[in-house]
Amino acid sequence: MAAALVPLAWRTRSLPSPLGAVGRAGAVAEVKLRDDQYTLDHMRAFGMYNYLHLDSWSQDNVYYVDQSGRVMNLSVTLDTALQKPREVFRLPADLTACDNRLCASIYFPSSTWVTLSDGTGRLYLIKTGKRGDSASEKWEIVFNEELGSPFIVAHSVSFVKSGTHSVAVLLLRVEKDELDTKGSGFHVTLEWVTIAEMSKEGDHQYEICRKRVLQGKSVPHYAAIEPNGDGLMILSYKPFKSVQEEEKKLAENDDAKTANEKKDPLYYWQQTEDDVTITIHVPQDITKDDIKVHFSPENICVTLKDQPPLMEGRLHSSVDHESCTWIIKENKSLEISLIKKNEGLRWPELIIGDTNGELIMDPSQATEISECLMHLTSEEMNPNPEKENPPCNAQELEECDAFLEDSATLCRFDGDTLQVTHVINLGSNQYLFSVVVDPREMPCFCLRHDVDALLWQPHPDQPENMWEHIATFNALGYVQASKQDKKFMACAPDYSYSALCECLRRVFIYRQPAPLSTVLYNRKEGRQVGQVAKQLVATLEANDPILGFQATNERLFVLTTKTLFLIKVNTGN
């Protein structure tokens, strides 16, 4: 991507000190991590929280919560000017009185509804009227309830079914896990709460009609409820599972332990880079005609005679089901061979959520894994470069090409059963950011594909085309990896540019390629260049940490503790 540095002009408005006169805006209500919030998950969920909230239904309006618990609105006027901060809502509780609190969080599920957490564990559902219209805008609480330990609002949607209005909210917590003795000691909880309008004695009230809980061991990169409330999509490094299902399995396991001693595994499995081999011991009286093995690209089912399935479920990754086979060995064992579609990908489990099998790793595989890790302690760059198929050494890569989590999974959960209906292993396609392109649709997520960044729009109503590629940002995947101090990333809803900011001062803007008004030739190749993409850099006139970052088609909003910077990017013509 051709890059040109272009000076930027921006307009700013300072947010006065909280010691100012009544009616003035106070500093942002930043909540810093405590000593007991020391994990990477705490940092991702709360330490890197975006304190600036863009109203996607009215993109000239941004909001933040100040230290007095007031929701402050700033609106764009005259293209590059901001109105004075105005208070639109005040939290009833005193935030400073609670020691164990998180940052307050806001989400806009519709043009007239807001969901709000005060960070202490209380959820508010607020009817606002038409926002952006001072004549009809009035924030009024229609529901508020204490929902346990503190949380942030990750996402929310507003919908009508069978004439009943509902608002579904996704709450995120990082909680102490007393059973975790080997990991971080914490787990991540996503609580899916549905609040519906109820009619009681002629009075219309909003009450919680359903709660669903999922747990995982990493903060999701992306988690969003479908617009009609029928499903949930989660993109995460480690999988999430329904707490109800886990409790059911634990109860079943407890019953089994009470009745019997520990049972042997029902099956054993091994894997190479290309295939998976499953071995099942079958009774002596079982013949080949008694065995039924059903393969599909995503699932497997094995039954003996008319008994319930011996093993059944969704495979960790896709297989070439037409090439999968099974045979009866001489020792009366059933051997099943699965051919991996994604060659080289190692499976951490055979069937998702199934604990009835045991992975057998032969010494050569253990040695291979050890050799893959040797570069972490080796002092030699590559002792035998002429060796056929030399191992990949991390030192041979550029530093910006490495990132902590080299694989993530995108899952869709059914809203009624909380069972996984779709799962995609993203491999090395690193998650970058999410953005609301159309507030009536689910948020889009952006993934790194080689050096580029691709934007994907979920379509839950299209099972055969559930994720659509809608935009490409050339070289952004590579460029963002080189920014060691980056904090937030975003893009314009019309894809005209992408942007990222560092923890302090600097903002980088990457425009999409645009036609040139003059003739330009490539000096090396001599060919005419028709389009050029530009990089723009802005340095903020403040040394305070950046706490919020939002992008619209025409502007970037950058929030520090005491200042909101408005950067004009596009003309809007």
Side-chain angles (χ1 to χ4, degrees):
M1 179 179 70
L5 295 181
V6 178
L8 279 179
W10 61 83
R11 301 292 184 268
T12 69
R13 176 173 293 280
S14 295
L15 308 183
S17 163
L19 300 177
V22 176
R24 290 184 177 180
V28 179
E30 180 185 6
V31 179
K32 296 185 178 181
L33 296 180
R34 305 186 304 269
D35 290 342
D36 60 343
Q37 296 173 319
Y38 53 82
T39 70
L40 180 61
D41 289 323
H42 286 99
M43 174 57 69
R44 284 180 168 169
F46 314 128
M48 301 288 284
Y49 186 74
N50 194 336
Y51 285 85
L52 185 62
H53 308 281
L54 173 69
D55 186 352
S56 298
W57 305 87
S58 178
Q59 293 193 8
D60 286 338
N61 289 276
V62 290
Y63 299 80
Y64 76 97
V65 180
D66 74 4
Q67 293 176 344
S68 299
R70 298 178 296 177
V71 178
M72 306 301 297
N73 164 244
L74 293 103
S75 182
V76 176
T77 59
L78 301 176
D79 195 38
T80 56
L82 285 169
Q83 283 185 342
K84 291 182 179 179
R86 67 185 182 100
E87 176 186 335
V88 294
F89 180 76
R90 185 186 295 258
L91 287 165
D94 181 7
L95 299 185
T96 59
C98 179
D99 295 330
N100 180 30
R101 72 183 178 99
L102 302 175
C103 46
S105 51
I106 304 173
Y107 205 90
F108 302 96
S110 80
S111 60
T112 58
W113 289 91
V114 168
T115 50
L116 170 64
S117 164
D118 63 4
T120 69
R122 181 170 290 274
L123 176 66
Y124 295 87
L125 176 60
I126 301 170
K127 190 173 184 179
T128 64
K130 189 71 173 179
R131 293 188 299 276
D133 182 356
S134 57
S136 61
E137 183 175 0
K138 181 181 179 182
W139 291 43
E140 177 185 1
I141 299 174
V142 297
F143 168 89
N144 79 97
E145 190 171 315
E146 189 76 29
L147 297 179
S149 58
F151 55 83
I152 61 172
V153 175
H155 187 244
S156 64
V157 294
S158 171
F159 56 92
V160 176
K161 279 187 179 179
S162 303
T164 300
H165 175 244
S166 300
V167 176
V169 192
L170 198 59
L171 315 178
L172 187 150
R173 298 181 176 94
V174 179
E175 300 178 307
K176 193 72 177 176
D177 188 346
E178 302 297 339
L179 299 178
D180 184 3
T181 58
K182 297 182 179 179
S184 66
F186 294 86
H187 62 237
V188 179
T189 298
L190 288 174
E191 184 174 6
W192 181 356
V193 178
T194 302
I195 306 167
E197 185 179 20
M198 305 289 186
S199 180
K200 291 185 177 180
E201 300 177 356
D203 187 19
H204 293 272
Q205 299 178 351
Y206 281 82
E207 298 179 0
I208 293 177
C209 64
R210 189 172 184 185
K211 291 183 180 180
R212 287 151 283 188
V213 179
L214 297 99
Q215 282 185 356
K217 297 299 292 184
S218 67
V219 168
H221 300 302
Y222 171 97
I225 304 168
E226 294 175 0
N228 56 10
D230 287 343
L232 172 68
M233 293 188 192
I234 299 176
L235 193 162
S236 61
Y237 172 49
K238 295 183 179 179
F240 276 77
K241 296 180 180 179
S242 165
V243 169
Q244 291 88 337
E245 286 295 315
E246 289 300 299
E247 291 175 348
K248 181 180 178 182
K249 288 179 182 178
L250 288 173
E252 291 173 351
N253 291 338
D254 290 341
D255 293 341
K257 288 179 181 179
T258 303
N260 307 298
E261 293 296 326
K262 183 178 178 181
K263 296 181 179 179
D264 292 332
L266 292 179
Y267 60 88
Y268 297 87
W269 64 288
Q270 296 176 284
Q271 65 176 319
T272 67
E273 291 188 350
D274 305 315
D275 56 45
V276 174
T277 302
I278 308 166
T279 302
I280 305 173
H281 294 292
V282 298
Q284 292 292 326
D285 59 341
I286 294 294
T287 66
K288 185 176 181 180
D289 294 334
D290 297 327
I291 299 174
K292 293 182 179 179
V293 183
H294 175 71
F295 302 110
S296 73
E298 307 288 344
N299 296 272
I300 187 173
C301 180
V302 180
T303 56
L304 304 180
K305 288 188 176 179
D306 296 325
Q307 300 175 9
L310 188 64
M311 61 183 297
E312 181 182 26
R314 178 179 289 274
L315 297 167
H316 174 76
S317 189
S318 300
V319 297
D320 182 359
H321 67 289
E322 294 181 350
S323 300
C324 297
T325 60
W326 63 272
I327 61 172
I328 296 290
K329 304 287 284 186
E330 293 180 358
N331 62 352
K332 293 297 290 185
S333 64
L334 170 63
E335 185 174 288
I336 302 171
S337 178
L338 306 178
I339 308 303
K340 295 180 179 179
K341 270 194 175 178
N342 299 321
E343 297 178 1
L345 174 66
R346 291 195 178 275
W347 295 9
E349 58 182 345
L350 177 64
I351 297 176
I352 296 175
D354 186 4
T355 59
N356 293 320
E358 181 177 316
L359 171 64
I360 298 176
M361 187 181 298
D362 61 44
S364 64
Q365 287 179 318
T367 302
E368 180 185 346
I369 292 174
S370 298
E371 289 177 353
C372 289
L373 299 176
M374 282 182 63
H375 69 275
L376 295 175
T377 56
S378 174
E379 295 181 358
E380 297 184 57
M381 180 71 171
N382 188 350
N384 190 2
E386 303 302 323
K387 180 181 177 182
E388 184 179 358
N389 298 323
C392 175
N393 190 309
Q395 293 171 330
E396 298 171 0
L397 301 175
E398 294 195 40
E399 185 176 340
C400 67
D401 282 323
F403 48 91
L404 179 63
E405 296 168 355
D406 59 358
S407 181
T409 303
L410 175 62
C411 294
R412 181 197 180 266
F413 293 82
D414 179 78
D416 290 326
T417 65
L418 283 188
Q419 295 295 310
V420 176
T421 62
H422 298 73
V423 58
I424 296 178
N425 191 306
L426 299 178
S428 60
N429 294 319
Q430 177 193 12
Y431 170 85
L432 299 179
F433 62 90
S434 60
V435 61
V436 176
V437 168
D438 182 345
R440 295 164 296 183
E441 301 283 347
M442 297 182 73
C444 301
F445 53 85
C446 190
L447 303 177
R448 178 177 177 177
H449 292 251
D450 195 11
V451 299
D452 298 327
L454 273 58
L455 195 65
W456 297 88
Q457 173 68 67
H459 293 298
D461 57 340
Q462 301 176 25
E464 302 303 320
N465 184 32
M466 192 162 287
W467 295 285
E468 178 189 5
H469 168 227
I470 58 173
T472 298
F473 299 102
N474 297 323
L476 180 63
Y478 182 79
V479 170
Q480 63 82 30
S482 67
K483 308 297 183 186
Q484 297 298 312
D485 294 327
K486 68 176 179 292
K487 187 169 185 179
F488 299 118
M489 292 187 68
C491 73
D494 63 0
Y495 332 126
S496 58
Y497 70 91
S498 57
L500 64 85
C501 70
E502 296 183 334
C503 297
L504 291 171
R505 302 195 71 183
R506 290 201 299 178
V507 176
F508 298 86
I509 302 167
Y510 305 98
R511 292 185 184 274
Q512 291 281 36
L516 292 169
S517 58
T518 58
V519 177
L520 180 67
Y521 290 90
N522 183 290
R523 287 186 297 178
K524 291 184 177 181
E525 300 177 6
R527 60 181 176 84
Q528 184 173 343
V529 177
Q531 293 184 323
V532 171
K534 296 181 180 179
Q535 170 185 309
L536 302 92
V537 183
T539 301
L540 306 181
E541 297 174 344
N543 289 317
D544 299 317
I546 293 176
L547 299 182
F549 190 66
Q550 296 289 351
T552 67
N553 293 336
E554 300 175 21
R555 307 172 185 86
L556 271 172
F557 298 91
V558 188
L559 180 69
T560 67
T561 305
K562 299 177 182 178
T563 310
L564 178 69
F565 292 87
L566 174 62
I567 302 175
K568 182 72 172 176
V569 180
N570 292 325
T571 62
N573 295 332

